[in-house]
Amino acid sequence: MGSDHSRLRTASPADLRAEIRAGRYAKHTAGLGAGVLQANLAILPESAALDFMRYCQRNPKPCPLVGVGDTGDPILHTLGRDIDIRTDVPAYNIYRDGKLAESVTDITDLWQDDFVAFALGCSFTFEAALAEAGIPMWHIDNDTTVPMFRSGIDTVPAGPFGGKMVVSMRAIPEDRMDDVYRICTRFPYAHGAPVHAGDPAEIGIRDVGQPQWGDPAPVPPGHVATFWACGVTPQVALENAGLPICITHKPGHMLVTDVPEDAENPVLSAA
Amino acid sequence: MGSDHSRLRTASPADLRAEIRAGRYAKHTAGLGAGVLQANLAILPESAALDFMRYCQRNPKPCPLVGVGDTGDPILHTLGRDIDIRTDVPAYNIYRDGKLAESVTDITDLWQDDFVAFALGCSFTFEAALAEAGIPMWHIDNDTTVPMFRSGIDTVPAGPFGGKMVVSMRAIPEDRMDDVYRICTRFPYAHGAPVHAGDPAEIGIRDVGQPQWGDPAPVPPGHVATFWACGVTPQVALENAGLPICITHKPGHMLVTDVPEDAENPVLSAA
């Protein structure tokens, strides 16, 4: 890499995307683009797009839709200036028939005239707000990936899309729980309030020490295991659907938009 | 009518829909179904559904999507128990080639296998919350229809859908403006915070005494002309698109759902 994560910490979203587009940055985007919405990515053929959009509408906590491109158009006009979804995300996962086939840093050669790009809000937004309120998060302090679990909560299906809700877990000090709910409710476009707090078994999680994705994190005494709907949910739904081809971001390697993270809604006017 | 508006004031949403389905009530739903979300309705062929859904995603204040049916399925599963969109709305407007062709109270005979039903949040929800906070609204006190205007604000287009934003106007006492913003921000699924307050000319409205829809309402001294994004916007977009056929509710004659109006999101689990 010609440029590194710490150098880009103060870069504007546009400058950051320019570095990514030029192939000079291909790592994760946690802590970058301070103050703007980052987004999960899903690209699929138009034939499945209406059902996928229904799936997002029916499951707004795991799948908060923040932008949808026109069919065949790689430019996401409502999320920022000159966002080309083929080049402006640090890394992509390519799925064929529902299975991960490869990871790449540019999808220009894979783009199809029938592709529709979807951007979905992500947890970086509410984590930044919690950190600002002085609420500690173990995975950040210890530079690991948040633990994620396949819960027993069913999502509402749409067409070929369905499956269980994936949740992320953060251990929160008991006396900060009210703050957590108050703060996260302000971010409906970033998973909103937690879906569960307390006994993991109540949402079908047998061992909170053994996440299916990410790294384990402790739940110390005086802390509450707190679970949020997670953006891996639509990824699992896409795998379940087994489409001939679909493309997502590589986990942690998000689309950095120009939308302020406290915007009332995630739409920049086309002006 | 075998039953009247005042008798139904205390009816549950399910009982109210049963009366409507049986053909015993075909009038407006203002003040009915207390505490639940009411919704604007748009039904169109699947060939235009993806673009319409994009239009709603790009214009969340005038077009807050609260429910989308499966193609050909008249049952809106996520908005309540046994909601049949062909019979459970008091009155419908049928548009052919973008022009109002007729109004009916039942669309069972018009239903097509390729129809997709969309429900969009409506102003009754935030009006109820404002009334509860003791904020007077002239059109309610005087039993008229809120004044609505074609503003100069462009919506973000999607496919054949586009046009200017329609706004509704309520004159609010100056000392209640902060309350109005605070309360309405809580209802993103019902148009959210006002889009403008003050000089109507700033959003392209020449004469605030001459609305294009609804009835005129005064702006008394000490009051601020306050404008909200309005659910007539998608209706105008549908007219502009000139689809061979589309169906909306008749203005004021809404779908009464089972979703509590203060729900974090408008999706009832399919349980």
Side-chain angles (χ1 to χ4, degrees), chain A residues 9-48:
Chain A
R9 229 165 228 290
T10 54
S12 73
D15 288 345
L16 177 56
R17 290 195 303 270
E19 289 291 294
I20 294 166
R21 185 184 295 192
R24 289 193 293 266
Y25 187 75
K27 296 185 183 169
H28 75 80
T29 54
L32 301 182
V36 299
L37 211 58
Q38 296 200 31
N40 295 293
L41 175 66
I43 298 171
L44 52 162
E46 188 184 50
S47 57

Side-chain angles (χ1 to χ4, degrees), chain A residues 46 49-51 53-55 57-61 65-72 78 115-116 118 156-159 184-185 188-189 191-194 264-270, chain B residues 46 49-51 53-55 57-61 65-72 78 115-116 118 156-159 184-185 188-189 191-194 264-270:
Chain A
E46 188 184 50
L50 181 61
D51 277 329
M53 211 160 168
R54 284 185 179 111
Y55 184 71
Q57 194 278 325
R58 293 172 189 179
N59 299 282
K61 287 173 78 93
L65 204 49
V66 298
V68 186
D70 287 327
T71 302
T78 57
F115 271 176
V116 181
F118 294 86
V156 182
C184 290
T185 301
Y189 291 110
H191 303 311
E264 186 184 1
N265 62 60
V267 183
L268 297 176
S269 81
Chain B
E46 188 185 49
L50 181 61
D51 277 328
M53 210 158 168
R54 285 184 178 113
Y55 185 70
Q57 193 278 325
R58 294 173 188 179
N59 299 281
K61 287 173 79 89
L65 205 49
V66 299
V68 185
D70 287 327
T71 302
T78 57
F115 271 177
V116 180
F118 294 86
V156 183
C184 290
T185 300
Y189 291 110
H191 303 311
E264 187 185 1
N265 62 60
V267 182
L268 297 176
S269 79

Side-chain angles (χ1 to χ4, degrees), chain A residues 149-154 164-167 203-205 212:
Chain A
F149 304 85
R150 194 182 302 261
S151 77
I153 303 169
D154 285 311
K164 300 293 184 186
M165 188 187 297
V166 177
V167 296
I203 57 167
I205 296 170
Q212 277 88 51

Side-chain angles (χ1 to χ4, degrees), chain A residues 89-102:
Chain A
V89 168
Y92 303 82
N93 278 346
I94 318 299
Y95 289 85
R96 296 186 188 279
D97 301 320
K99 291 187 172 42
L100 179 61
E102 55 177 328

Side-chain angles (χ1 to χ4, degrees), chain B residues 43-270:
Chain B
I43 298 172
L44 51 163
E46 188 185 49
S47 56
L50 181 61
D51 277 328
F52 187 70
M53 210 158 168
R54 285 184 178 113
Y55 185 70
C56 294
Q57 193 278 325
R58 294 173 188 179
N59 299 281
K61 287 173 79 89
C63 312
L65 205 49
V66 299
V68 185
D70 287 327
T71 302
D73 185 355
I75 309 299
L76 292 184
H77 302 275
T78 57
L79 289 172
R81 279 186 71 82
D82 186 32
I83 295 181
D84 187 330
I85 205 62
R86 299 170 299 184
T87 53
D88 293 2
V89 168
Y92 304 81
N93 278 346
I94 317 300
Y95 290 84
R96 294 185 189 279
D97 302 319
K99 291 189 173 38
L100 179 62
E102 56 177 329
S103 295
V104 300
T105 59
D106 186 309
I107 57 164
T108 303
D109 292 344
L110 292 165
W111 187 259
Q112 297 179 188
D113 284 348
D114 68 341
F115 271 177
V116 180
F118 294 86
L120 312 175
C122 96
S123 60
F124 289 167
T125 302
F126 75 76
E127 286 188 342
L130 294 179
E132 197 163 317
I135 295 170
M137 283 165 285
W138 193 90
H139 74 285
I140 294 176
D141 296 338
N142 291 274
D143 201 21
T144 62
T145 300
V146 73
M148 291 165 273
F149 303 85
R150 193 183 302 261
S151 77
I153 303 168
D154 285 312
T155 62
V156 183
F161 303 104
K164 300 295 184 184
M165 188 187 294
V166 178
V167 296
S168 59
M169 192 284 289
R170 293 161 190 80
I172 303 293
E174 279 170 7
D175 64 352
R176 302 307 304 272
M177 287 300 290
D178 287 351
D179 293 331
V180 163
Y181 276 84
R182 184 180 49 77
I183 291 169
C184 290
T185 300
R186 281 171 30 213
F187 298 103
Y189 291 110
H191 303 311
V195 291
H196 181 64
D199 185 1
E202 283 179 17
I203 56 168
I205 295 172
R206 286 194 198 163
D207 185 349
V208 77
Q210 295 205 321
Q212 276 88 53
W213 298 269
D215 301 308
V219 183
H223 288 62
V224 181
T226 307
F227 298 89
W228 277 261
C230 175
V232 173
T233 309
Q235 200 157 319
V236 169
L238 283 165
E239 289 175 33
N240 290 346
L243 305 178
I245 185 165
C246 77
I247 299 174
T248 70
H249 67 293
K250 187 173 167 183
H253 300 61
M254 302 298 184
L255 170 65
V256 177
T257 75
D258 290 338
V259 178
E261 60 188 11
D262 60 354
E264 187 185 1
N265 62 60
V267 182
L268 297 176
S269 79

Side-chain angles (χ1 to χ4, degrees), chain A residues 197-223:
Chain A
D199 185 1
E202 283 179 18
I203 57 167
I205 296 170
R206 285 191 199 166
D207 185 349
V208 77
Q210 296 205 319
Q212 277 88 51
W213 298 268
D215 301 307
V219 183
H223 288 63

